[in-house]
């Protein structure tokens, strides 16, 4: 467990395990359904999203790459970062429920674009899949602290790169500007088409979803 200091309070970061999985699942799914422009554009309901996500969420946690940030004084959860070993085969749009197809197709297109620039073997990269910080802990450096801890975990396990799907202006700022990772692929929301529709065309900020890449040997 790593102890770091944010702008306003200390925070302890540890590997996310069985004790926190339910609480972090609730936090992450609520944050995405209520706060993600992508999820709001599709009008995805919270319970539908939870039923869809739970199996893959539990599988990602079992890899031991995800972290939870807590207040060391009372163990109150201040954020979580869900991380998985990068595998392009996980982004297939086959057998995806129509309601969630735009989300999966968007990520699939982003990954395909990234692969034209770098072909990775299994075990070379990790992907930050989800990140969430509750409103009362926002703006206090918790997300950045979790990203730095995940970098170290991945580096210690021999991974070369850390990737991120950045769909919000806030995460793009933290990862690209503050952490210095590279923007290596981008799918513009206005031009993305799935099933003949442009489901994210109404999103103007940011202009698109970005795949970021950090070189763990250089951090």
């Amino acid at each position: 467990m790593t102890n770091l200091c944010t702008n306003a309070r200390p925070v302890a970061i540890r590997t996310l395990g069985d004790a926190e999985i339910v609480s972090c699942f609730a936090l992450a799914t609520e944050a995405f359904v209520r706060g993600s422009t992508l999820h709001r554009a599709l009008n995805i309901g919270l319970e539908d999203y939870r039923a869809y996500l739970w199996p893959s969420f539990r599988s990602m946690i079992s890899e031991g790459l995800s972290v939870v940030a807590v207040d060391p004084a009372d163990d109150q959860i201040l954020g979580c970062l869900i991380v998985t070993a990068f595998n392009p085969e996980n982004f297939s749009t086959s057998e995806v429920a129509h309601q969630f197809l735009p989300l999966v197709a968007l990520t699939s297109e982003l990954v395909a674009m990234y692969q034209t620039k770098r072909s990775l073997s299994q075990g070379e990269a990790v992907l930050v899949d989800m990140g969430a910080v509750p409103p009362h802990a926002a703006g206090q450096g918790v997300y950045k602290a979790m990203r730095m801890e995940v970098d170290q975990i991945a580096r210690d396990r021999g991974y070369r790169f850390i990737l991120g799907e950045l769909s919000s202006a806030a995460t793009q700022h933290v990862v690209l500007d503050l952490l210095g990772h590279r923007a290596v692929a981008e799918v513009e929301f206005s031009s993305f088409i799935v099933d003949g529709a442009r489901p994210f065309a109404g999103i103007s900020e940011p202009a698109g979803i970005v795949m970021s890449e950090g070189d763990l040997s250089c951090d």
Side-chain angles (χ1 to χ4, degrees), residues 128-206:
V128 178
D129 189 79
M130 301 179 74
V133 175
H136 69 268
Q140 299 175 28
V142 175
Y143 183 85
K144 180 181 178 182
M146 291 191 296
R147 288 289 308 229
M148 292 173 65
E149 177 68 8
V150 165
D151 276 14
Q152 190 59 54
I153 292 172
R155 186 183 297 109
D156 289 346
R157 293 197 181 188
Y159 289 98
R160 295 176 55 209
F161 301 101
I162 182 164
L163 311 178
E165 305 166 66
L166 314 178
S167 60
S168 74
T171 54
Q172 288 179 12
H173 170 64
V174 170
V175 177
L176 302 179
D177 299 334
L178 300 184
L179 297 182
H181 291 190
R182 299 176 294 275
V184 289
E186 180 175 4
V187 178
E188 293 185 355
F189 293 136
S190 61
S191 60
F192 173 71
I193 300 174
V194 60
D195 279 354
R198 299 177 189 267
F200 306 120
I203 301 173
S204 58
E205 182 63 27

Side-chain angles (χ1 to χ4, degrees), residues 1-198:
M1 180 173 68
T2 299
N3 287 286
L4 297 166
C5 185
T6 68
N7 294 336
R9 71 208 300 178
V11 57
I13 302 176
R14 59 180 181 244
T15 302
L16 199 166
D18 291 342
E20 303 95 1
I21 187 171
V22 173
S23 296
C24 287
F25 181 69
L27 170 63
T29 50
E30 175 122 16
F32 270 66
V33 169
R34 309 297 186 209
S36 165
T37 53
L38 301 183
H39 292 68
R40 292 204 309 269
L42 299 177
N43 196 30
I44 293 176
L46 181 58
E47 294 310 314
D48 287 343
Y49 185 54
R50 284 175 171 169
Y52 161 76
L53 186 65
W54 174 246
S56 60
F57 187 92
R58 185 171 51 187
S59 177
M60 286 187 287
I61 299 304
S62 71
E63 296 177 48
L65 294 164
S66 303
V67 299
V68 57
V70 300
D71 187 324
D74 57 12
D75 226 31
Q76 179 185 26
I77 291 178
L78 301 176
C80 61
L81 210 60
I82 312 306
V83 184
T84 183
F86 178 67
N87 182 356
E89 295 180 2
N90 291 341
F91 303 99
S92 170
T93 57
S94 62
E95 300 182 7
V96 175
H98 182 76
Q99 182 182 14
F100 302 104
L101 179 60
L103 290 175
V104 179
L106 179 67
T107 301
S108 180
E109 185 168 321
L110 184 69
V111 168
M113 187 180 297
Y114 173 69
Q115 287 184 283
T116 66
K117 301 182 180 182
R118 190 189 299 281
S119 178
L120 294 175
S121 302
Q122 192 77 2
E124 286 193 276
V126 296
L127 174 70
V128 178
D129 189 79
M130 301 179 74
V133 175
H136 69 268
Q140 299 175 28
V142 175
Y143 183 85
K144 180 181 178 182
M146 291 191 296
R147 288 289 308 229
M148 292 173 65
E149 177 68 8
V150 165
D151 276 14
Q152 190 59 54
I153 292 172
R155 186 183 297 109
D156 289 346
R157 293 197 181 188
Y159 289 98
R160 295 176 55 209
F161 301 101
I162 182 164
L163 311 178
E165 305 166 66
L166 314 178
S167 60
S168 74
T171 54
Q172 288 179 12
H173 170 64
V174 170
V175 177
L176 302 179
D177 299 334
L178 300 184
L179 297 182
H181 291 190
R182 299 176 294 275
V184 289
E186 180 175 4
V187 178
E188 293 185 355
F189 293 136
S190 61
S191 60
F192 173 71
I193 300 174
V194 60
D195 279 354
R198 299 177 189 267

